[in-house]
Amino acid sequence: MEFQNGFKADPHFSLSRRSFLSSAIATTLGIQTYNVSAAESQVTPKAQIAITFDLEMSRQYPRRDMLEWDFQKGNLNQETKAYSLKAAEIASGLNGLIHYFCVGRVLEQEDVQWLKTISELGHPIGNHTYDHVNVWATDPEKTQFRFQRSPWLLGGKSADQVIRQNIRLTTEAMKQRLNISPDGFRTPGGSSTALDEREDLQNMLLAEGFSWVSSKYPSHKYSSPDTEPDNDIYQSILTAQNEAQPYIYPSGLVEIPMSPISDVGAFRTSHWKLKYFLKSVELCIQQAIEQGSVFDFLCHPSIMYVEDPHFETVKLICKLVNQSGGRAEIVGLSDIAKSVPRKTS
């Protein structure tokens, strides 16, 4: 298989080299490190690390001039499906777990056995709406590019009705084609303000049977395209990671933010090399382990099969957790949601 620019994973970025990154890179970046004593390690919470894959097609992949996927988000190509399944198998073999979020239109395809196999391996699958709609939109035609080009598909529905139907259709499609109910909900796209000012959306999700949502993506700095990220960029990502911690809305809905930096920001926006991405992921996981916090890794297999064809990121995350001495665990987002402290009266 040919990949964009003939790119392959850096064979020199081995785990043996990664072993010193936590202290060496932290020193370079001027990041505070923690020398945890045996007594302190007993009271530091275990870090919860999640690996999440959004099952949708991404614009500009596998070529930069490809934009049609905006209108066909659920029309997964064979490479994306194969990558998703292989990643599940690799994670399972490394005592890991991947939490998938499925665009409902994926389930219109003739063959969904690959997705059934992922479920049978024990990997959770959540609802990602049917058409990859913008849940924050208030104009129905702005909920999805597809509806801007084909407004008759809206049938006179309001934005609220479009979004609600998209959620319900995906839940029903998952039940009928996969024989499972969705494990949680992730909004297409993210927002630095999450659903903080959208009690209507919180209540909609609660009414549709969801106890948690993944919608927040904290803001951070990006490097210029084709430019190696400097220390300031990495520090900004680590600062944003501290803001990507779960919390509970007044409605009772739990928010599990997506952790920076996503593959979209790294590869599509900044055109990073894979080694920059791996470095960022390692820094964030080490910080999560030191703090006993949450890291919710977000990526899209439609991007990753081009940028990370050898599954280096999934392997790295699993190995870092396996080598943490019990200070971290790989979990699904539902496990994270259950761990979020509730206020007691």
Side-chain angles (χ1 to χ4, degrees):
M1 183 184 300
E2 288 292 329
F3 296 98
Q4 183 181 1
N5 299 326
F7 182 80
K8 293 184 179 180
D10 183 352
H12 304 296
F13 196 81
S14 63
L15 191 63
S16 61
R17 285 187 63 195
R18 293 177 187 128
S19 62
F20 73 82
L21 286 178
S22 178
S23 58
I25 296 175
T27 300
T28 301
L29 299 181
I31 300 168
Q32 181 180 5
T33 57
Y34 301 85
N35 295 318
V36 181
S37 67
E40 289 172 330
S41 66
Q42 294 177 4
V43 298
T44 301
K46 183 178 290 189
Q48 292 182 309
I49 311 299
I51 305 172
T52 66
F53 277 25
D54 286 1
L55 299 175
E56 65 191 63
M57 294 307 295
S58 299
R59 76 169 74 112
Q60 299 184 14
Y61 282 89
R63 302 188 314 273
R64 293 292 180 189
D65 61 349
M66 294 189 69
L67 302 177
E68 179 62 21
W69 296 131
D70 282 345
F71 304 88
Q72 302 184 53
K73 298 294 287 186
N75 188 19
L76 300 191
N77 61 12
Q78 187 58 39
E79 293 88 348
T80 296
K81 291 183 282 189
Y83 191 94
S84 300
L85 176 56
K86 185 63 176 179
E89 294 170 343
I90 289 173
S92 293
L94 294 173
N95 301 313
L97 185 77
I98 299 177
H99 201 136
Y100 294 81
F101 290 93
C102 182
V103 169
R105 291 183 67 85
V106 170
L107 300 172
E108 291 184 13
Q109 295 189 328
E110 181 179 3
D111 180 18
V112 295
Q113 183 56 51
W114 63 278
L115 195 48
K116 290 181 179 179
T117 302
I118 287 173
S119 178
E120 291 164 359
L121 286 170
H123 301 279
I125 304 173
N127 187 317
H128 201 41
T129 77
Y130 200 79
D131 293 288
H132 199 265
V133 296
N134 176 8
V135 301
W136 290 275
T138 55
D139 181 339
E141 290 190 10
K142 292 182 179 179
T143 55
Q144 220 287 334
F145 291 101
R146 181 168 175 247
F147 300 139
Q148 294 179 40
R149 189 162 72 181
S150 308
W152 56 86
L153 294 173
L154 293 168
K157 291 186 288 291
S158 66
D160 178 88
Q161 290 171 327
V162 170
I163 295 163
R164 191 181 299 272
Q165 182 186 48
N166 250 252
I167 294 170
R168 289 180 176 177
L169 281 175
T170 303
T171 295
E172 187 59 32
M174 291 179 66
K175 288 179 179 178
Q176 291 195 28
R177 293 224 64 191
L178 303 179
N179 198 31
I180 61 173
S181 294
D183 190 335
F185 182 83
R186 169 166 283 165
T187 58
S191 168
S192 61
T193 59
L195 305 184
D196 293 345
E197 304 299 326
R198 294 298 302 271
E199 187 176 355
D200 58 324
L201 293 175
Q202 297 172 36
N203 290 330
M204 178 190 294
L205 291 172
L206 289 168
E208 295 302 318
F210 298 101
S211 61
W212 59 265
V213 63
S214 181
S215 75
K216 182 181 178 70
Y217 186 86
S219 59
H220 58 82
K221 296 179 180 179
Y222 291 88
S223 55
S224 300
D226 301 309
T227 301
E228 181 175 358
D230 59 18
N231 295 347
D232 190 44
I233 297 295
Y234 287 121
Q235 182 62 72
S236 177
I237 291 169
L238 287 169
T239 299
Q241 164 62 13
N242 284 329
E243 299 174 8
Q245 298 304 303
Y247 60 93
I248 303 177
Y249 295 105
S251 64
L253 185 70
V254 176
E255 172 66 54
I256 306 176
M258 296 163 266
S259 297
I261 185 174
S262 75
D263 57 345
V264 170
F267 298 122
R268 195 170 77 191
T269 302
S270 294
H271 304 180
W272 275 10
K273 294 181 179 180
L274 178 59
K275 63 182 179 180
Y276 307 154
F277 191 58
L278 293 171
K279 178 176 175 178
S280 178
V281 169
E282 173 144 10
L283 283 170
C284 287
I285 289 180
Q286 294 290 6
Q287 176 172 274
I289 292 173
E290 290 165 354
Q291 298 177 351
S293 58
V294 169
F295 178 71
D296 176 12
F297 171 73
L298 162 66
C299 74
H300 304 74
S302 55
I303 293 176
M304 296 296 279
Y305 86 80
V306 176
E307 304 288 2
D308 184 10
H310 303 295
F311 306 91
E312 290 297 303
T313 310
V314 169
K315 293 175 183 177
L316 171 62
I317 294 171
C318 291
K319 288 178 180 179
L320 288 172
V321 172
N322 288 337
Q323 295 178 358
S324 70
R327 297 175 63 197
E329 59 182 345
I330 296 180
V331 298
L333 298 194
S334 286
D335 293 317
I336 295 174
K338 293 174 185 176
S339 302
V340 180
R342 265 67 173 177
K343 292 182 179 180
T344 57
S345 56

